[in-house]
Amino acid sequence: MSNEIEGADKYTFAEIEEKWQTIWESRRSFRADEEASGEKYYLLEMFPYPSGRIHMGHVRNYTIGDVVARYKRMRGYNVLHPMGWDAFGLPAENAAQKNNSHPATWTYANIDYMRVQLHRLGLSYDWNRELATCHPEYYRWEQQLFIEMFNKGLVYQKVTTVNWCDSCQTVLANEQVINGACWRCDELVYPKKMSGWFLKITAYAEELLADLDRLGGWPEKVVTMQRNWIGKSTGLNCAFAVEGLDCQIDIFTTRPDTVFGVTFMSIAAEHPLLDKLIAGTPDEDQVRAFAERIQLDKQRRSLTEEPEKEGIFTGRSCINPFNGARVPIYVANFVLMEYGTGAVMAVPAHDQRDFEFARKYTLPVVPVVVPENRQLNPDEMVEAVSDAGILVNSGPFSGMPSAAAGEAIIAHAQAAGFGSPQVTYRLRDWGISRQRYWGAPIPMIHCADCGVQPVPLHELPVQLPDDEDRDGACRPLHQRPSFIATTCPACGAPARRETDTMDTFMESSWYFARFTNPRYQKGPLEQSKADYWLPVDLYIGGVEHAILHLLYSRFFVKVLRDFGYLKIDEPFTNLLTQGMVIKDGAKMSKSKGNVVDPHELIEAYGADTVRLFSLFAAPPERDLEWSPQGVEGASRFLNRVYRLISSQRSLLLTADPLPANLNGAGRALHRKTHQTIRRVTESIEQNFHFNTAISAMMELFNSLTASLADDAKEAPEPEVLREAVSVLLLLLAPMVPHFAAEMWELIEGNGLHLADQPWPGYDAEAAREEKITIVIQINGKVRSRLQVPADIDDEALLQLTFTDANTLKYLDGKAPKKTIVVKKKLVNIVV
């Protein structure tokens, strides 16, 4: 296909799109200014990782955002619409090594290329605010925030289990472990305990949960996912003393009513008491080997894989504090150290996982809660019964209903001193340590005498060393002696730098705030500008970020508020999660070989056609099915609009106002024009359903062409034609901005730029239908149709109905039993 849409004159889209992009840039059309008039509107799409090329998912995401930004400008808002790059991370290291390059070289080259691609789409970004998270002028402020969190007790170190490759002498992310082996050297990976840095997000767990109720502009699905991730539970915390040892196992349960049914204790393979429990027991070596194997198995299976339940007796028992029963302690592969206390009181009669384990290892099953109208015989049970009911076999609590018994049992434990009520959260503190090169260095120093010390603020940023490994080796920081050696800021003695880098979620958790003044040099944020622009009014991105990125961003905002940088509680007022782009029944991806290159589409059809297709094919929240025919259809529509405007240009150049009295064709087109304004405006305002908005515009265009057809009974007045075409271009402007701007210039010709025009308003009276069609049904079957005034009342409508010849014919003299009027739609007569 050529780069022309042919008509009376040739429309060369490549030249026209470049022309208008140059004009917008020279006029600084999209530069945001806090001093500008109008209510502020901050719109942001989740910024991309600079992989090298944009894909159709990017095109869809950024086009949706661009339409809203352009629409809001036309509505008089002062719009901030920035763009940047989520530039740190493992993929850059992998790609750089594969291409024998340095991550910085690779990343900045990709940014340069992708910036050109985004320009080609005509996106209305304020490029003056562009930022890249890998730039020291960005992460220096992140390092400062880290230090402030450390000083306020929100950052700490603890030992955790990591993936360790002995051959490469490095820690691997989960994504770098392939079938239990290192992605780089293919040697087996082993769990290793190492110290790592954590952010105390759990300190904000209750506020993060409670404030979900304030997010009325978020999809309920996303709110529910976050609520479940935070996972608030209330219940009993109590201690089971270990028999023969001076220690206890702490447990938490949400079912205190079942505590008399505990028949064994399950602990995680990495439970800190395990070594003490098995020390000196006959099977110590066997249990330790089992625990090590379980840790390896857990590391080498996917998170969604459910393993067969396995366990081993530790040789020790603990004592149930409620009834004094001896409870054997097992190491079990389904207990996770990262959830709860790493120990679970097992009640096989009332928990299916415990039931299966008990049957496998011939452990007792003791029912203690019997649902109404049920009898439970442990020998005959084939599955656990988890329903609430009446307590049995539960000492003084027998006969009580579950809820009341649970409260009484907690009160008893608290009075006796071995338990207490507790609120727990599934949410765990955020481990941010990454043992690799391409990330923001953690700004801490380790001194043998003074302990851990933050880097002095005036020495920030702690920059990544860039004078080594230009061959692409990408050695992590702990393998770079010149980076590690430093002096203690407290005592001046030789010390070592922290060699962990930060999780890349750190950068994306506050970038939206930095956009309010990305060049500010006196701190992370300039408060006056942050106060003006934040919160983000509309945030757009994939639902795959529903939990971690959005949760961490909410956490960061609350921390920044408490540190005095912000005055808001939540970062994003409204959230739009767009669907995926699907081709051949699957998400577009290189691995599936079904990728469509947007660059090739733009070269063949132009940016506006690509934009129009991505908007028209599906509503934003739904998956978009790739269709070559859909792209061709979008191209044909623009072609037809161009040809109509070119052929009717002489008529459209009139500057006369609408006549007071229009002919029939003029009234119909005038009415359709204002109905279209209303429909398009409502489609955007209510749910961003651009597909229905475009459909309405196509209907207006069809009315335009029909009114100009040779066989039309009469032609509308030129002034009405001009109104309809002008409105069509204004409505199209946010969606196909280059095309609309060029067509506007064709009919205006007076230097008035379309980008400066307001969004059209509609006249409700003009949009009102003069006549509507009412369907007449008799016993549910259509028997007639009536053309009636749009504002007809029910009484007048019924009078017309019962004098209509077709209606009388089918009634055949029968008296109606019932008559139902559905306003402006139908009359149903029951006989």
Side-chain angles (χ1 to χ4, degrees):
M1 173 173 284
S2 71
N3 68 343
E4 298 169 352
I5 298 176
E6 298 185 8
D9 296 301
K10 290 183 176 180
Y11 175 79
T12 309
F13 56 73
E15 294 177 9
I16 295 305
E17 288 173 358
E18 183 178 358
K19 164 189 167 180
W20 285 104
Q21 289 163 17
T22 302
I23 290 173
W24 295 329
E25 188 171 353
S26 66
R27 299 180 76 233
R28 298 182 176 182
S29 297
F30 313 123
R31 187 74 60 89
D33 182 0
E34 296 78 15
E35 302 302 320
S37 61
E39 183 182 348
K40 75 93 180 175
Y41 192 87
Y42 183 0
L43 180 137
L44 185 64
E45 303 97 34
M46 294 179 186
F47 64 167
Y49 165 71
S51 59
R53 285 180 176 270
I54 64 172
H55 52 67
M56 283 304 298
H58 288 132
V59 171
R60 189 184 191 201
N61 188 14
Y62 302 146
T63 299
I64 290 169
D66 193 58
V67 172
V68 178
R70 289 176 179 272
Y71 169 76
K72 289 293 184 179
R73 287 191 191 95
M74 294 178 74
R75 294 303 300 260
Y77 286 87
N78 184 23
V79 175
L80 171 59
H81 188 207
M83 174 50 70
W85 311 95
D86 192 9
F88 271 140
L90 181 65
E93 283 195 19
N94 294 350
Q97 176 140 347
K98 183 178 179 180
N99 291 275
N100 196 32
S101 180
H102 188 275
T105 304
W106 176 259
T107 298
Y108 282 114
N110 287 349
I111 287 174
D112 290 341
Y113 187 83
M114 290 178 70
R115 188 188 301 112
V116 171
Q117 288 186 300
L118 295 180
H119 272 293
R120 286 288 304 275
L121 280 169
L123 302 170
S124 60
Y125 292 130
D126 180 356
W127 286 103
N128 190 54
R129 295 174 185 254
E130 180 184 11
L131 60 79
T133 59
C134 63
H135 197 285
E137 284 304 308
Y138 180 83
Y139 67 73
R140 68 172 292 189
W141 303 115
E142 187 173 302
Q143 291 174 337
Q144 178 173 319
L145 292 174
F146 179 93
I147 291 171
E148 291 183 43
M149 290 184 190
F150 176 79
N151 291 336
K152 294 288 180 67
L154 291 174
V155 171
Y156 65 94
Q157 278 184 295
K158 74 173 182 179
V159 173
T160 186
T161 302
V162 297
N163 306 312
W164 178 257
C165 176
D166 199 54
S167 174
C168 296
Q169 285 291 293
T170 189
V171 172
L172 303 177
N174 288 337
E175 297 86 350
Q176 293 175 296
V177 180
I178 311 298
N179 296 323
C182 173
W183 68 279
R184 185 181 285 123
C185 69
D186 209 33
E187 293 292 322
L188 285 178
V189 172
Y190 295 92
K192 182 178 181 179
K193 291 185 177 180
M194 289 184 65
S195 179
W197 291 94
F198 290 78
L199 300 191
K200 205 169 184 180
I201 189 174
T202 53
Y204 288 82
E206 185 58 37
E207 187 181 0
L208 287 167
L209 182 65
D211 283 357
L212 289 172
D213 292 334
R214 301 168 59 182
L215 301 180
W218 286 36
E220 186 57 37
K221 172 176 65 175
V222 175
V223 172
T224 299
M225 291 169 74
Q226 289 219 358
R227 196 182 305 280
N228 292 340
W229 186 263
I230 297 169
K232 182 177 181 178
S233 299
T234 59
L236 167 70
N237 179 278
C238 72
F240 283 59
V242 177
E243 189 177 48
L245 293 177
D246 185 20
C247 62
Q248 62 187 30
I249 295 177
D250 293 320
I251 63 94
F252 170 80
T253 178
T254 59
R255 291 293 305 271
D257 57 322
T258 66
V259 73
F260 283 84
V262 175
T263 61
F264 63 97
M265 180 72 68
S266 304
I267 66 172
E270 57 269 52
H271 196 286
L273 282 181
L274 180 60
D275 286 341
K276 188 172 185 177
L277 291 174
I278 64 176
T281 61
D283 296 324
E284 176 180 357
D285 292 341
Q286 184 181 354
V287 175
R288 181 170 286 108
F290 174 85
E292 290 174 354
R293 178 174 67 80
I294 291 305
Q295 290 185 68
L296 277 175
D297 289 346
K298 185 175 71 172
Q299 195 170 37
R300 294 172 184 177
R301 67 173 182 262
S302 70
L303 295 175
T304 58
E305 185 180 347
E306 183 69 27
E308 181 185 352
K309 294 169 182 61
E310 289 187 87
I312 190 170
F313 179 47
T314 61
R316 294 281 183 184
S317 295
C318 56
I319 305 301
N320 186 331
F322 288 91
N323 58 10
R326 296 180 74 246
V327 178
I329 304 170
Y330 279 73
V331 179
N333 67 339
F334 54 82
V335 181
L336 303 176
M337 194 64 221
E338 36 296 13
Y339 297 116
T341 64
V344 176
M345 68 171 211
V347 186
H350 305 293
D351 181 276
Q352 185 61 26
R353 184 180 56 183
D354 297 342
F355 180 85
E356 293 172 6
F357 191 92
R359 289 298 195 226
K360 181 173 182 177
Y361 293 100
T362 320
L363 294 165
V365 175
V366 179
V368 292
V369 178
V370 179
E372 189 176 359
N373 300 321
R374 292 281 300 273
Q375 290 185 341
L376 299 182
N377 183 332
D379 297 330
E380 297 176 355
M381 291 177 67
V382 295
E383 63 181 3
V385 176
S386 59
D387 299 335
I390 302 300
L391 268 64
V392 297
N393 304 320
S394 298
F397 306 100
S398 295
M400 297 178 68
S402 288
E407 294 177 4
I409 286 170
I410 292 174
H412 171 73
Q414 190 166 20
F418 60 77
S420 62
Q422 186 172 334
V423 176
T424 66
Y425 298 89
R426 181 177 182 270
L427 180 68
R428 289 293 174 263
D429 283 339
W430 175 10
I432 66 157
S433 285
R434 300 294 181 268
Q435 294 75 21
R436 54 179 181 249
Y437 170 76
W438 192 234
I442 291 178
M444 305 299 284
I445 292 172
H446 300 268
C447 174
D449 296 323
C450 304
V452 177
Q453 299 290 318
V455 172
L457 296 183
H458 69 271
E459 293 182 12
L460 298 180
V462 177
Q463 296 194 49
L464 288 170
D466 60 0
D467 56 348
E468 302 177 56
D469 287 348
R470 286 288 171 179
D471 61 352
C474 296
R475 285 185 296 142
L477 296 182
H478 72 266
Q479 296 180 11
R480 296 171 180 259
S482 62
F483 174 82
I484 297 171
T486 188
T487 57
C488 174
C491 70
R496 62 180 179 85
R497 287 195 187 279
E498 174 60 59
T499 56
D500 286 355
T501 55
M502 297 190 205
D503 178 9
T504 56
F505 276 121
M506 287 283 287
E507 286 83 62
S508 61
S509 293
W510 72 287
Y511 78 106
F512 50 87
R514 183 66 180 171
F515 269 139
T516 60
N517 187 356
R519 309 292 175 253
Y520 189 58
Q521 291 297 309
K522 297 181 181 179
L525 301 174
E526 184 178 4
Q527 189 165 11
S528 63
K529 293 186 176 180
D531 289 347
Y532 176 80
W533 288 113
L534 292 171
V536 176
D537 294 282
L538 178 62
Y539 197 38
I540 304 174
V543 74
E544 66 271 17
H545 300 293
I547 298 177
L548 295 183
H549 164 56
L550 293 173
L551 185 66
Y552 293 155
S553 298
R554 296 180 62 223
F555 164 62
F556 249 77
V557 160
K558 295 176 189 305
V559 170
L560 291 170
R561 176 205 61 198
D562 290 349
F563 287 0
Y565 288 112
L566 296 176
K567 295 178 181 177
I568 59 172
D569 299 319
E570 290 289 336
F572 314 118
T573 303
N574 296 288
L575 175 69
L576 175 61
T577 54
Q578 93 282 354
M580 298 182 294
V581 180
I582 305 294
K583 183 173 183 285
D584 304 327
K587 178 184 177 182
M588 279 191 183
S589 69
K590 291 180 181 178
S591 63
K592 293 184 174 67
N594 64 350
V595 170
V596 175
D597 189 346
H599 175 75
E600 294 177 3
L601 287 176
I602 293 171
E603 288 292 317
Y605 294 96
D608 282 335
T609 292
V610 177
R611 290 170 61 116
L612 189 65
F613 163 73
S614 68
L615 295 166
F616 186 52
E621 72 277 7
R622 300 284 297 276
D623 290 343
L624 183 155
E625 184 72 37
W626 166 255
S627 165
Q629 295 80 12
V631 180
E632 289 282 357
S635 177
R636 281 196 303 272
F637 174 66
L638 295 181
N639 183 4
R640 294 177 64 204
V641 175
Y642 171 68
R643 282 204 287 258
L644 180 142
I645 292 174
S646 297
S647 64
Q648 302 296 326
R649 188 183 179 200
S650 60
L651 276 177
L652 298 173
L653 289 176
T654 178
D656 295 334
L658 286 176
N661 296 309
L662 302 177
N663 64 26
R667 287 197 306 274
L669 184 56
H670 181 60
R671 180 169 57 251
K672 187 67 174 179
T673 299
H674 285 265
Q675 289 174 342
T676 303
I677 298 172
R678 182 176 61 195
R679 285 182 60 192
V680 172
T681 304
E682 289 174 351
S683 292
I684 296 175
E685 289 285 352
Q686 292 175 3
N687 49 22
F688 304 117
H689 278 193
F690 308 116
N691 57 322
T692 59
I694 293 168
S695 179
M697 287 185 257
M698 290 178 172
E699 288 182 22
L700 174 60
F701 176 76
N702 290 339
S703 295
L704 261 168
T705 55
S707 70
L708 293 169
D710 292 338
D711 58 355
K713 292 180 180 179
E714 61 179 344
E717 292 81 357
E719 295 85 358
V720 178
L721 280 175
R722 176 181 169 80
E723 178 194 44
V725 170
S726 297
V727 164
L728 179 62
L729 294 178
L730 288 167
L731 299 179
L732 281 170
M735 303 179 189
V736 288
H738 315 87
F739 176 83
E742 184 69 11
M743 296 301 98
W744 183 268
E745 189 176 68
L746 269 181
I747 64 172
E748 286 294 338
N750 57 6
L752 290 176
H753 287 285
L754 181 59
D756 298 330
Q757 303 306 307
W759 186 257
Y762 67 88
D763 182 335
E765 183 61 27
R768 186 173 61 86
E769 286 284 359
E770 293 181 352
K771 293 279 189 179
I772 58 175
T773 300
I774 298 292
V775 172
I776 309 299
Q777 294 179 341
I778 298 176
N779 290 342
K781 293 184 178 180
V782 176
R783 296 305 190 189
S784 188
R785 286 180 172 85
L786 300 178
Q787 288 288 313
V788 301
D791 57 355
I792 191 170
D793 61 32
D794 289 356
E795 184 179 351
L797 176 59
L798 290 176
Q799 285 180 356
L800 289 175
T801 299
F802 288 109
T803 57
D804 172 62
N806 282 335
T807 303
L808 294 173
K809 171 186 171 183
Y810 285 102
L811 282 174
D812 193 24
K814 297 186 181 90
K817 294 179 181 177
K818 188 177 183 182
T819 304
I820 302 167
V821 177
V822 179
K823 281 281 188 187
K824 297 190 176 184
K825 290 188 177 180
L826 62 85
V827 175
N828 186 23
I829 304 168
V830 180
V831 296

